[in-house]
Amino acid sequence: DAGNTEPTDGTGASGSPADEAGVLLSARGLHKRFDQLEVLKGIDLDVRSGSVAVLIGPSGSGKTTVLRSLNGLEIPDAGTVRIGDVEVDFATAPTKKQLVGLRAQSSMVFQAHNLFPHLSVLQNVIEGPLTVQRRPREEVRAEGLALLDRVGLASKAEQHPYQLSGGQQQRVGIARALALKPQLMLFDEPTSALDPELVGEVLSVMKDLAAEGWTMVVVTHEIRFAQSVADQVLFLDGGVIVESGPPEAVLTDPQQPRTRTFLHRIL
Ligand code: ADP
């Protein structure tokens, strides 16, 4: 079934089972410094298979750096990241092979979609599976069309990104990330560059993915989304996780003054 790209229970093609406790992603002691600036000061994170973790926090608190560290786009100075059965210890500089292995475990959806302007929507979606994963074109094409259907854009397959609205482009970005069949989906403020009226359609696709059992880590300021979709919310400030827990605790009854101040400011 070409359309079936839903995660199974970690026994999928790339085979990266969660551990016995059901934890798919585990990060420990992530530290990152940019010159004088210590951006991550020891981040620990556990995300169970099929669950959604939402990172919130002020601008500059380190959310994007955490996300990028999880798939090796940023190389932490210390700490470990395990996704499924791939583990990288950043105490020593990772080899290219280790980074490629880690990157293959997750797909990132960026703030701006980064679609290739000269390729059609469908070509954008299947580019990764074709060139990075070297999978057969016919198979990949069928899956790509099914994914476009899934994000409500089947009719746009042959159009080019500039012919689409920002929300539609971002949905293509999601389809493109899904096409790589990752264990884990990472979202870096996927709606923050969109006009307000286009935010809902993207969040709705993300909500569907969560309901289908995708494991997701989402950086967002959309507190209502966090409230209704997250299994855990982590509040970052100054490179540390100040408070974490289920949304009804962190968002509704925050214990830390810094969390309260932040929520007051954005709500
Ligand atoms: P957030 O996503 O919470 O806004 P970021 O992780 O993007 O925070 O950034 C955290 C801090 O690290 C900010 O002060 C930012 O300016 C700095 N930073 C991020 N990336 C780099 C980089 N490549 N070089 C230097 N400083 C950076």
Side-chain angles (χ1 to χ4, degrees), residues 193-263:
L194 296 177
D195 290 334
E197 74 272 21
L198 303 178
V199 167
E201 65 192 64
V202 174
L203 293 181
S204 160
V205 167
M206 292 167 63
K207 203 167 179 171
D208 290 345
L209 295 179
E212 286 165 14
W214 281 89
T215 313
M216 300 167 39
V217 181
V218 182
V219 172
T220 187
H221 292 292
E222 298 289 337
I223 296 298
R224 278 202 319 213
F225 173 84
Q227 193 80 258
S228 61
V229 178
D231 295 286
Q232 61 170 325
V233 175
L234 303 104
F235 171 66
L236 259 84
D237 196 10
V240 297
I241 294 171
V242 172
E243 185 162 3
S244 65
E248 52 276 18
V250 176
L251 300 176
T252 315
D253 185 25
Q255 300 302 303
Q256 299 297 324
R258 280 200 275 174
T259 318
R260 280 188 220 131
T261 306
F262 172 74
L263 289 171

Side-chain angles (χ1 to χ4, degrees), residues 34 37 39 57-66 74 189 219:
F34 293 114
L37 188 66
V39 174
S59 179
S61 58
K63 304 180 298 295
T64 293
T65 305
V66 170
E74 212 67 77
E189 298 198 32
V219 172

